[in-house]
Amino acid sequence: MSEFLQHLVNGISLGTIYALIALGYTMVYGVLKLINFAHGDVYMVGAFGGFYLAHLLGVNDSPSLPKTLVVFVGSMLICGTLGFLIERLAYRPLRYRPRLTALITAIGISFLLEFGFQLPRWSFMPFDFPPGPTPRFFPELFPRTIWFNIGEVSISNYDALALGVAILFMVGLEFIIYRTKFGVAMRAVSFDPNIAGLMGIPVDRIISGTFILGSVLASVAALLVSISRPRIDPIMGLMPGLKAFVAAVFGGIGNVPGAMVGGLILGLSEEFVAGYMLSSFRDAIAFAILILVLLFRPEGLFGRITTEKV
Amino acid sequence: MTHTLLVLSLMIANRSSAVAADRILIGEVGSLTGAEATFGDSTRKGIDLAITDINAKGGVKGKKLEVKVYDDQGKPEEAATAMTRLIAQDKVTLVLGEVASSRSLAMAPIAERNKIPMITPSSTNPRVTKDGKKVRDFVFRVCFIDPFQGTVMAKFTRKNLKLSKVAILRDVGNDYSMGLADYFTAKFKELGGTIVADESYKAGDQDFKAQLTSLKGKKPEAVFIPGYYTDVALIARQARELNMKQPLLGGDGWESAKLYEIGGSALDNSYFSNHYSTDDPNPKIQNFVKRYKNTYGEVPDSMSALAYDAAMIAAEAMTKAKDLSGEAIRQILASTKGFKGVTGIINIDQDHNAVKPAVVLRIQDKKPHYVTTISP
């Protein structure tokens, strides 16, 4: 029983991470019909942003809550800016080109970030950037303590923080999408960008905002991961990015609650497969789920079937 | 045809010797960056120290030794490219490297095909020097091999620690890890122990809690994790977070200062097999440790020590060989007996492996401590 509970805790903590990343994919798809393959790498930049900030603040010598907050907010700003720039410089010029062009550009941006970060340090940089391919140790922002035990399963402040912050951001996102003017505009653009434009909605600004929002969520996910699994490297975004994409498709791409549920289900199923069946099939399962969903429910769990009107 | 080839090869030989009249160029391939960067870095430093020593004593055949080094970023395909480049472009006499078996395995066939001797300081997988049943003529190593290393840890766990239930967590994409896990399993069972679980992970994974939770349920007395240090450090942390207090066991892939930086105190009370211990009072070792510390300001790990020995054996073979052709050097290397290295007395056996004892180290307070030596 306690083993099952432990798997459940692990699976949920993994799933919330996938969910946070999946939200970025799904929102961008919602407004642009573009799969932003660079999203996993924005996640990686989030981790490195936090890493550099933590070193700048000297977190190693004296971990504290205010410093943790600065690291989080700073990394979110860095990722938000990056998301904005990627959209502005790489995707916007191609918006009215065939969709494949933007998709390939997304893959290009992804490679640029992954391999750019693997370059040796530039001599004019005041700090160790680019970091190179060697994994770095993410400093401890605050000490890990056990909060309470259920049988043999212990819940630490790390687990609680990860879940709490993830839920906070998801609820916040729901609020933004359904209760604010920006959210209304976003949904309108997602429905039809041309008509939304005719109605006086600043489409460009809404799309920029969507990218910023998605990138901020990715940086939060990256920091939550790095705190408990403190090894970061330039290709760390590859697998989580792919899996979060699977989660987004699974939940119905373009659908916000779908991405959350998709992420959780993927995290849990991966955990239980690795725990009770063959651990080497862990990643295979994630992609098997994708194939099965696409076979039987191409629109995903929560997706709507859109009929093409001729 | 043979005649033309001979003339051609003579011409090539002439050309390369004309280029390098006053120096001998040897190649090195290492993971200077990447997930196993400390392996490449330590090896680099060990070789450099050896080359300084050799050149201070007049070099080889009156010529200075020079090393051309390429970084493979810890990728087998990059290692193969670097190897080809060293041979075809830089025309090196001999190549030193790699540390990781999967990378050495990518380089070995290239050495063989071009008849350039290659000495790996620390690749322990048997297939590096032996391709199926056939020994690779030009590939050598100065360390022991996985069957021995796996056996050592199995013996140690069963006889010294007196444990009978062990779980294994192996890296499925790694020749070294797979080999070590298999040899450990075989020997441990032979000695009357049981393997209660055998789970796997992939290098670079961030999350190992699923596997660890299921291992924990099987109540092993120790967990054998024959992986490389970055993964092992994360695994150890997560095991302790899951309240697993068992000792963790491993091989020489744990040898890195980074293990303690990432893993912290999670690795306390764990054991791993290694090539030598800096605690050893042997003057040869202490002298090496002292000089290494003076040069680089840090304690040499076993990758540095093996690299030093590899470069020294290479220099000796080149000195003794009648000329600097691959074939001549290869013959001397194959007959190496009783070479007094830092990591012990090195005898090259018929499979081109070094036969020597292994040490078992215990980690306490983020430092390895010598426990025992186990002979072949």
Side-chain angles (χ1 to χ4, degrees):
Chain A
M1 186 58 200
S2 74
E3 191 180 333
F4 176 81
L5 261 179
Q6 184 69 59
H7 278 308
L8 199 67
V9 171
N10 302 343
I12 290 175
S13 85
L14 196 63
T16 43
I17 301 299
Y18 290 153
L20 278 175
I21 311 172
L23 283 170
Y25 275 110
T26 236
M27 282 195 300
V28 165
Y29 186 84
V31 297
L32 271 187
K33 303 282 170 288
L34 164 74
I35 292 164
N36 179 15
F37 272 116
H39 194 60
D41 302 294
V42 173
Y43 160 91
M44 175 274 290
V45 174
F48 273 99
F51 169 81
Y52 288 124
L53 282 171
H55 276 282
L56 202 70
L57 294 171
V59 168
N60 250 346
D61 311 319
S62 58
S64 72
L65 205 61
K67 282 182 187 171
T68 309
L69 263 178
V70 175
V71 168
F72 264 82
V73 173
S75 163
M76 280 153 66
L77 283 176
I78 293 172
C79 276
T81 315
L82 179 71
F84 172 78
L85 288 176
I86 290 176
E87 195 274 331
R88 185 70 193 78
L89 302 175
Y91 301 149
R92 193 175 297 179
L94 300 169
R95 194 172 301 157
Y96 300 104
R97 298 290 170 81
R99 211 162 279 161
L100 200 59
T101 318
L103 187 76
I104 290 168
T105 311
I107 296 172
I109 296 285
S110 165
F111 282 175
L112 181 73
L113 287 172
E114 275 170 26
F115 293 97
F117 268 63
Q118 288 190 42
L119 291 172
R121 179 185 174 169
W122 292 327
S123 51
F124 59 82
M125 283 309 268
F127 56 96
D128 201 1
F129 183 86
T134 306
R136 299 305 177 91
F137 172 61
F138 195 86
E140 204 160 64
L141 294 180
F142 50 89
R144 181 181 189 276
T145 49
I146 304 286
W147 272 10
F148 56 90
N149 290 297
I150 315 168
E152 273 194 31
V153 182
S154 47
I155 308 287
S156 70
N157 55 347
Y158 281 15
D159 304 321
L161 175 96
L163 193 63
V165 170
I167 290 175
L168 187 78
F169 273 88
M170 288 180 201
V171 171
L173 188 70
E174 279 289 312
F175 179 81
I176 291 177
I177 292 175
Y178 292 102
R179 299 271 187 283
T180 63
K181 239 174 145 177
F182 174 77
V184 176
M186 210 172 118
R187 281 182 291 145
V189 171
S190 155
F191 196 73
D192 190 326
N194 294 328
I195 308 252
L198 292 176
M199 295 293 139
I201 292 173
V203 176
D204 279 348
R205 220 184 298 157
I206 298 299
I207 289 174
S208 290
T210 308
F211 268 88
I212 293 173
L213 213 54
S215 305
V216 165
L217 291 177
S219 91
V220 172
L223 291 175
L224 293 179
V225 168
S226 310
I227 288 173
S228 55
R229 305 159 185 95
R231 176 191 57 188
I232 60 173
D233 62 69
I235 52 166
M236 66 181 280
L238 194 66
M239 274 325 264
L242 275 177
K243 286 187 187 155
F245 170 60
V246 172
V249 173
F250 181 64
I253 192 138
N255 184 300
V256 170
M260 296 184 201
V261 176
L264 274 174
I265 292 181
L266 188 69
L268 283 167
S269 58
E270 229 184 75
E271 174 76 26
F272 282 110
V273 166
Y276 287 117
M277 289 186 256
L278 265 175
S279 35
S280 20
F281 280 107
R282 185 187 188 135
D283 292 345
I285 291 299
F287 298 104
I289 288 179
L290 177 71
I291 294 170
L292 282 178
V293 167
L294 291 180
L295 272 179
F296 293 107
R297 224 186 126 76
E299 69 280 10
L301 273 188
F302 292 78
R304 263 170 310 159
I305 300 170
T306 45
T307 40
E308 293 275 325
K309 288 192 205 90
V310 188
Chain B
M1 187 59 198
T2 328
H3 185 70
T4 348
L5 269 182
L6 193 70
V7 171
L8 207 68
S9 63
L10 274 176
M11 277 165 62
I12 292 167
N14 269 335
R15 194 174 65 104
S16 57
S17 61
V19 170
D22 55 338
R23 64 186 175 113
I24 300 171
L25 193 64
I26 61 176
E28 179 193 343
V29 181
S31 52
L32 297 175
T33 57
E36 287 94 44
T38 70
F39 287 172
D41 184 53
S42 297
T43 304
R44 174 92 274 267
K45 287 172 175 162
I47 290 177
D48 262 356
L49 195 64
I51 299 295
T52 314
D53 286 0
I54 296 159
N55 285 342
K57 285 188 189 139
V60 168
K61 295 190 190 306
K63 295 173 183 175
K64 296 266 184 238
L65 283 189
E66 208 180 294
V67 184
K68 177 91 191 170
V69 55
Y70 288 120
D71 175 22
D72 61 30
Q73 301 182 1
K75 297 172 191 156
E77 63 276 17
E78 292 284 337
T81 313
M83 186 74 181
T84 311
R85 196 163 158 195
L86 282 171
I87 295 171
Q89 201 173 317
D90 301 310
K91 310 229 177 294
V92 295
T93 310
L94 172 148
V95 176
L96 299 171
E98 232 271 2
V99 171
S101 297
S102 21
R103 263 104 72 189
S104 291
L105 277 169
M107 292 159 60
I110 303 171
E112 198 68 4
R113 207 160 47 235
N114 292 286
K115 300 197 187 313
I116 295 291
M118 159 180 159
I119 307 175
T120 161
S122 36
S123 287
T124 49
N125 189 299
R127 288 192 292 124
V128 172
T129 55
K130 210 173 174 184
D131 183 12
K133 282 208 162 55
K134 189 194 164 297
V135 177
R136 292 188 214 266
D137 285 336
F138 289 85
V139 184
F140 300 85
R141 79 178 101 218
V142 296
C143 56
F144 50 63
I145 53 175
D146 289 338
F148 173 61
Q149 195 177 188
T151 312
V152 162
M153 274 325 271
K155 265 191 199 164
F156 176 77
T157 314
R158 193 74 192 97
K159 297 204 167 134
N160 297 44
L161 299 177
K162 309 216 182 312
L163 303 180
S164 55
K165 282 157 60 186
V166 172
I168 291 178
L169 185 56
R170 58 169 94 195
D171 176 355
V172 273
N174 184 332
D175 300 312
Y176 160 81
S177 185
M178 294 297 279
L180 211 47
D182 289 343
Y183 296 115
F184 179 91
T185 307
K187 188 69 187 179
F188 196 67
K189 282 186 178 157
E190 188 193 311
L191 293 171
T194 35
I195 304 294
V196 292
D198 192 337
E199 298 279 340
S200 58
Y201 69 92
K202 239 176 86 251
D205 280 354
Q206 289 271 355
D207 198 280
F208 306 91
K209 281 195 175 162
Q211 294 96 315
L212 288 169
T213 305
S214 105
L215 290 184
K216 187 187 171 192
K218 306 264 168 53
K219 305 211 174 0
E221 294 163 328
V223 185
F224 183 56
I225 315 170
Y228 289 143
Y229 62 89
T230 35
D231 297 316
V232 171
L234 275 189
I235 292 173
R237 273 183 93 100
Q238 294 178 16
R240 299 312 180 215
E241 283 173 14
L242 290 172
N243 247 330
M244 293 174 74
K245 297 195 176 71
Q246 293 92 335
L248 309 177
L249 312 167
D252 59 338
W254 287 25
E255 175 73 337
S256 166
K258 282 265 175 200
L259 181 73
Y260 314 109
E261 187 195 326
I262 301 179
S265 53
L267 284 143
D268 279 2
N269 195 27
S270 294
Y271 300 86
F272 68 102
S273 53
N274 204 352
H275 303 273
Y276 92 127
S277 163
T278 47
D279 294 346
D280 195 325
N282 181 340
K284 181 110 192 167
I285 293 180
Q286 287 313 319
N287 189 23
F288 170 73
V289 172
K290 207 177 107 204
R291 284 197 315 117
Y292 191 94
K293 262 188 185 163
N294 287 342
T295 317
Y296 302 111
E298 60 190 38
V299 179
D301 57 20
S302 59
M303 304 305 161
S304 319
L306 286 169
Y308 185 86
D309 283 353
M312 282 302 193
I313 282 194
E316 197 193 66
M318 285 191 281
T319 309
K320 282 187 186 163
K322 61 181 193 305
D323 55 44
L324 288 175
S325 70
E327 182 57 37
I329 298 171
R330 178 197 89 77
Q331 276 171 12
I332 304 290
L333 278 174
S335 63
T336 303
K337 287 279 172 289
F339 179 90
K340 289 193 186 62
V342 175
T343 56
I345 303 210
I346 297 168
N347 295 306
I348 301 291
D349 70 4
Q350 75 278 9
D351 289 343
H352 294 180
N353 307 318
V355 183
K356 49 184 188 177
V359 298
V360 176
L361 306 175
R362 176 170 194 263
I363 301 172
Q364 200 61 59
D365 302 323
K366 304 185 192 175
K367 268 195 215 90
H369 301 278
Y370 174 79
V371 181
T372 182
T373 302
I374 297 180
S375 295

